[in-house]
Amino acid sequence: AGQRHIVQVAFPVAQPRQSMHALRLILALGSGLAILLAFLVGWVFAGTALDPIHRITQTAQKIGEERDFSRRVNYTGPQDEVGQLANTFNSMLSRLQTAFQKVEHSLEMQSDFVADVSHELRTPLTTLRGNLGLLRRKSLPAEDQADILNDMVDESDRLIRLVNDLLLLARADAGRSL
């Protein structure tokens, strides 16, 4: 029958423990370095990705401070979400610029209108005042007094017409039916 042989191998118990300790140390240091490297690479990529948004923010702040609606965001990157944001922002600025110009034009027209109305009202008022000064004189013939009174009635009618026209314009501006 066959003989059986047994081979017995022995090694010290301390050696696997030292190997495990070295492996733990290598894994801890390697993991720490990998995490640090991943953090730095992520930081750089995030900064690069967020730079266009930072430029949009700076442009918006400058526009708000200077009220210069003709400025636009300069974006030359791909038409991703940031590109769409830049385009939307520029489109909004175009509409704001148009609205701002319309408001400025309206204010100029309103200023001109007020000046014209003031002149139109001042003329009959000046005539009325002059006629009242003439009537204060008691040495006027009755015929001249009648002419002055007729002129005053005409000028007061003119004033009433002007005021009515202004009220009509004000109602039209307020959206009421004429």
Side-chain angles (χ1 to χ4, degrees):
Q3 293 184 357
R4 292 189 182 185
H5 298 294
I6 297 176
V7 177
Q8 191 174 20
V9 178
F11 57 91
V13 177
Q15 185 180 359
R17 285 186 185 163
Q18 285 178 345
S19 296
M20 290 298 282
H21 181 68
L23 183 61
R24 272 190 220 129
L25 185 63
I26 290 171
L27 284 175
L29 287 176
S31 297
L33 286 174
I35 289 171
L36 182 62
L37 182 65
F39 176 75
L40 290 174
V41 168
W43 184 276
V44 169
F45 282 150
T48 302
L50 294 177
D51 186 54
I53 294 175
H54 181 67
R55 281 187 282 142
I56 291 172
T57 304
Q58 285 179 329
T59 302
Q61 287 173 340
K62 288 179 183 174
I63 289 169
E65 291 168 3
E66 300 169 5
R67 297 181 192 259
D68 180 11
F69 298 113
S70 64
R71 291 185 80 148
R72 296 295 180 268
V73 174
N74 294 326
Y75 180 75
T76 56
Q79 287 304 311
D80 54 2
E81 288 82 4
V82 176
Q84 290 174 0
L85 176 65
N87 289 339
T88 302
F89 190 75
N90 286 337
S91 174
M92 179 191 67
L93 285 173
S94 295
R95 289 191 300 273
L96 275 174
Q97 183 179 13
T98 302
F100 190 72
Q101 288 170 344
K102 286 180 181 178
V103 167
E104 281 183 332
H105 181 68
S106 295
L107 288 174
E108 286 175 21
M109 287 178 55
Q110 184 179 14
S111 177
D112 292 345
F113 177 74
V114 168
D116 289 344
V117 166
S118 298
H119 177 73
E120 288 295 320
L121 290 174
R122 189 177 303 141
T123 302
L125 286 172
T126 302
T127 303
L128 285 171
R129 185 174 203 150
N131 286 338
L132 284 172
L134 285 174
L135 285 178
R136 277 188 157 162
R137 296 182 190 169
K138 298 185 179 176
S139 61
L140 285 176
E143 184 179 305
D144 289 342
Q145 284 182 359
D147 287 343
I148 291 173
L149 286 174
N150 285 335
D151 190 35
M152 290 178 69
V153 168
D154 290 344
E155 291 300 319
S156 64
D157 287 343
R158 181 177 171 195
L159 274 173
I160 290 170
R161 274 194 317 275
L162 286 171
V163 170
N164 285 338
D165 289 346
L166 285 174
L167 287 173
L168 189 65
L169 282 174
R171 286 185 187 131
D173 271 351
R176 298 180 189 166
S177 61
L178 299 179

